[in-house]
Amino acid sequence: MSYCPKNNLLNLLRRGSKFFRKASNSAALTAAPTSTPGQATSSATGISSTLAMDDLHILKTRLCIIGSGPAAHTAAIYASRAELKPILLEGWMANGIAPGGQLTTTTDVENFPGFPDGINGIELMDRCRKQSLRFGTQILTETVNKVDFSTTPFKVFTDSKAVIADSIIVATGAVAKRLDFPGSGEGPGGFWNRGISACAVCDGAAPIFRNKPLAVIGGGDSAMEEATFLTKYGSIVYIIHRRDTFRASKIMQQRALTNPKIQVLWNSAIVGAYGDENTNNRVLGGLKVKNVLSGEVSDLKVSGLFFAIGHEPATKFLDGQLELDSGGYVVTRPGTTLTSVHGVFAAGDVQDKKYRQAVTAAGTGCMAALEAEHYLQEIGLQEGKTD
Amino acid sequence: MEGLGQQNKTRVVKVDSLESWDFYVTQAINQGTPIVIHFTAAWCIPSVAMNPFFEELASSFPDVLFLTVDVDEVKEAATKLEIKAMPTFVLMKNGAPVDKLVGANPEEIRKRIDGFVQSIRVHVA
């Protein structure tokens, strides 16, 4: 169940909640799907009829793609153009994020190649979705809650459907962890996307941060890297950390600690964020920082706060059926999207903790589709094609 | 095959002021029309996500007045009906709320409206 309390913050780490897909400015979203006659599809408009059924509705496909971000849609575009007739399960507010993935939580995307004037995150994903549909991808707005990769064909389950697939691409992404405190969310009184962000590489260059004091919260390599990166833009960068030592690697720590523009606030936690009076409180003006040892709360004037406390890949639903690394990311053979199960491929942030960019996700999405096509030919299900 | 979606004219009325709210509610009372209101906020994703579905419901129930109210735009209406979270769906008859549903749950809201409409039909008959 999902809703937003009227006056304050969202709990941003909602899990497995079932919401409806975010409406957007593109007609393509409601012009949804791709139903083949005789198959009830769960689309933005058709969901009520299928939910009434008690039994699982079974669908068969050569390729099932789980995900809705740039990786999933690039895979869908390539796969559908290769006549694999893929089914894509985009999720119904899976992981607390609207279909389209993490890009739907940002506003302007300035660094995706091909858009010299930048593009709105939601609009970029709308276009990807439209492109997938154009070539025949069947998109279901349902969240996968269980999979069975123990035998072939593989099985993927949602609340109302079972998809039987000869090959799978897992592209469920990851979510940047965020903290919850007064002022950290969206809506009035919250400064998310108005000074608070979870990605320095994505947002650091924005004008509101230029030559202003900024803050990064975290203690790992990401935090060190993001803080160092931000010194290019900000006047000073504070690293706020709740303990008195970083867990980052020595070399990253050194780089950060010897940077004259970086100052560390040890044993500190953020207890609130407030607005900048000069802009009528429309953007972040400062933070209330509490010393966890003394309990003292002080003011820290910053124009930007970046969460660098880690990412969480969406792999719980796999229930251990794919090999994961210690952080929960799907292990893939380097340079490929091959996973520990033959016929299952992983693309995008769910298997990438290093780059985590839309364009690298799109790249691995394409790789996954090509590898899936190759696999299907191998097992003889692909109809004869000239290469 | 492209669906219908936003190519069709919308049956949902957007209430953007207190005057507009009073007008529609009064009119509905006079005509005996049941009302379903979607209290939403532009910044609340689950709420905005319900918009297309709300449109679909509006087409399915032509004898009901469907209103959408942004709680930041028409604060008084939200306060009057004690709206604490978005989306909240309120079913009203004769100017009085008869049911309230908080949260983005398409299946549930359809069920409630079905029941609402049935109960009205029974009374009229």
Side-chain angles (χ1 to χ4, degrees):
Chain A
M1 188 58 74
S2 168
Y3 58 88
C4 310
K6 189 142 170 279
N7 290 316
N8 44 14
L9 3 143
L10 300 178
N11 176 359
L12 298 156
L13 295 178
R14 289 183 294 247
R15 288 276 173 274
S17 9
K18 297 191 164 67
F19 299 127
F20 216 73
R21 196 155 57 71
K22 177 170 181 149
S24 83
N25 25 22
S26 158
L29 280 190
T30 46
T34 67
S35 50
T36 41
Q39 259 184 7
T41 55
S42 165
S43 71
T45 47
I47 236 174
S48 48
S49 48
T50 55
L51 283 176
M53 293 162 29
D54 287 337
D55 303 321
L56 283 184
H57 195 96
I58 299 179
L59 300 163
K60 292 205 175 112
T61 179
R62 281 180 229 148
L63 169 63
C64 178
I65 302 170
I66 311 175
S68 66
H73 281 294
T74 306
I77 291 163
Y78 276 80
S80 50
R81 280 169 55 86
E83 302 290 340
L84 296 185
K85 300 197 174 14
I87 290 183
L88 183 146
L89 293 162
E90 66 177 353
W92 195 4
M93 280 309 273
N95 229 13
I97 304 229
Q102 294 177 72
L103 283 173
T104 62
T105 68
T106 70
T107 45
D108 288 319
V109 179
E110 300 281 337
N111 51 15
F112 199 92
F115 298 92
D117 298 318
I119 181 166
N120 178 277
I122 293 169
E123 204 197 313
L124 177 58
M125 291 323 301
D126 273 358
R127 293 196 195 187
C128 289
R129 193 178 190 278
K130 220 166 157 174
Q131 209 170 342
S132 296
L133 288 172
R134 177 180 165 202
F135 296 108
T137 307
Q138 189 178 355
I139 300 184
L140 304 182
T141 309
E142 295 196 37
T143 303
V144 175
N145 52 40
K146 198 165 76 120
V147 297
D148 181 3
F149 297 157
S150 59
T151 54
T152 53
F154 306 113
K155 298 171 199 58
V156 174
F157 301 95
T158 69
D159 275 356
S160 65
K161 304 246 181 334
V163 178
I164 316 237
D166 297 307
S167 59
I168 308 267
I169 295 178
V170 175
T172 48
V175 213
K177 293 187 189 157
R178 287 150 80 171
L179 292 174
D180 199 4
F181 48 77
S184 69
E186 294 156 59
F191 295 96
W192 175 256
N193 271 346
R194 295 191 284 149
I196 301 186
S197 153
C199 179
V201 165
C202 316
D203 300 331
I208 58 169
F209 303 129
R210 201 58 63 101
N211 294 323
K212 296 273 182 24
L214 306 175
V216 170
I217 184 157
D221 278 348
S222 266
M224 302 300 110
E225 203 165 330
E226 300 220 336
T228 307
F229 177 80
L230 288 168
T231 56
K232 275 207 283 282
Y233 305 106
S235 55
I236 178 172
V237 179
Y238 299 102
I239 301 182
I240 301 172
H241 187 47
R242 59 197 166 149
R243 296 184 296 126
D244 60 1
T245 44
F246 290 138
R247 64 178 168 86
S249 59
K250 284 280 168 279
I251 190 170
M252 290 303 293
Q253 282 194 47
Q254 234 216 349
R255 234 194 259 170
L257 292 172
T258 53
N259 190 316
K261 281 173 99 176
I262 292 182
Q263 202 181 109
V264 184
L265 304 182
W266 301 102
N267 301 307
S268 302
I270 303 178
V271 293
Y274 53 86
D276 181 359
E277 300 151 341
N278 300 333
T279 61
N280 219 7
N281 289 342
R282 275 189 312 110
V283 291
L284 183 68
L287 302 169
K288 291 242 174 289
V289 180
K290 175 169 159 184
N291 183 309
V292 299
L293 297 176
S294 69
E296 196 185 317
V297 178
S298 50
D299 257 333
L300 187 69
K301 293 228 176 314
V302 291
S303 299
L305 168 66
F306 295 83
F307 293 122
I309 55 177
H311 280 70
E312 197 163 327
T315 48
K316 286 210 178 67
F317 75 102
L318 293 170
D319 199 25
Q321 297 192 57
L322 290 183
E323 189 189 336
L324 304 178
D325 71 9
S326 55
Y329 289 86
V330 177
V331 172
T332 50
R333 201 187 303 173
T336 76
T337 62
L338 302 174
T339 69
S340 55
V341 174
H342 198 45
V344 177
F345 308 89
D349 281 11
V350 78
Q351 54 92 46
D352 167 27
K353 61 172 159 226
K354 188 166 170 193
Y355 303 102
R356 302 186 266 110
Q357 298 299 304
V359 65
T360 53
T364 51
C366 167
M367 285 162 58
L370 296 175
E371 285 174 343
E373 193 193 341
H374 189 254
Y375 166 79
L376 288 171
Q377 279 175 337
E378 239 179 54
I379 63 173
L381 286 183
Q382 175 68 315
E383 279 140 320
K385 275 179 65 183
T386 48
D387 236 306
Chain B
M1 66 182 70
E2 306 286 61
L4 306 169
Q6 279 156 355
Q7 270 103 27
N8 289 345
K9 198 159 155 358
T10 170
R11 272 208 70 238
V12 175
V13 176
K14 185 173 189 329
V15 171
D16 51 16
S17 68
L18 187 56
E19 293 74 22
S20 177
W21 165 261
D22 286 333
F23 169 75
Y24 282 106
V25 172
T26 310
Q27 187 186 66
I29 295 174
N30 294 341
Q31 297 175 347
T33 315
I35 314 178
V36 177
I37 309 143
H38 173 197
F39 284 96
T40 180
W43 50 268
C44 174
I45 295 184
S47 179
V48 171
M50 284 297 281
N51 286 339
F53 188 72
F54 201 61
E55 297 275 352
E56 201 214 322
L57 287 174
S59 313
S60 310
F61 296 96
D63 298 325
V64 178
L65 175 65
F66 284 76
L67 303 177
T68 180
V69 179
D70 187 312
V71 302
D72 294 318
E73 278 175 29
V74 196
K75 295 188 173 57
E76 304 83 350
T79 314
K80 215 182 214 180
L81 287 167
E82 294 177 337
I83 304 301
K84 305 253 183 348
M86 286 70 66
T88 295
F89 298 94
V90 179
L91 278 49
M92 279 193 7
K93 183 80 174 89
N94 297 328
V98 294
D99 199 1
K100 210 188 218 185
L101 176 64
V102 176
N105 189 339
E107 191 193 347
E108 187 60 30
I109 187 64
R110 182 182 277 274
K111 248 196 249 177
R112 301 271 186 111
I113 298 178
D114 254 323
F116 181 43
V117 165
Q118 301 285 11
S119 67
I120 292 166
R121 288 213 193 104
V122 168
H123 285 136
V124 168

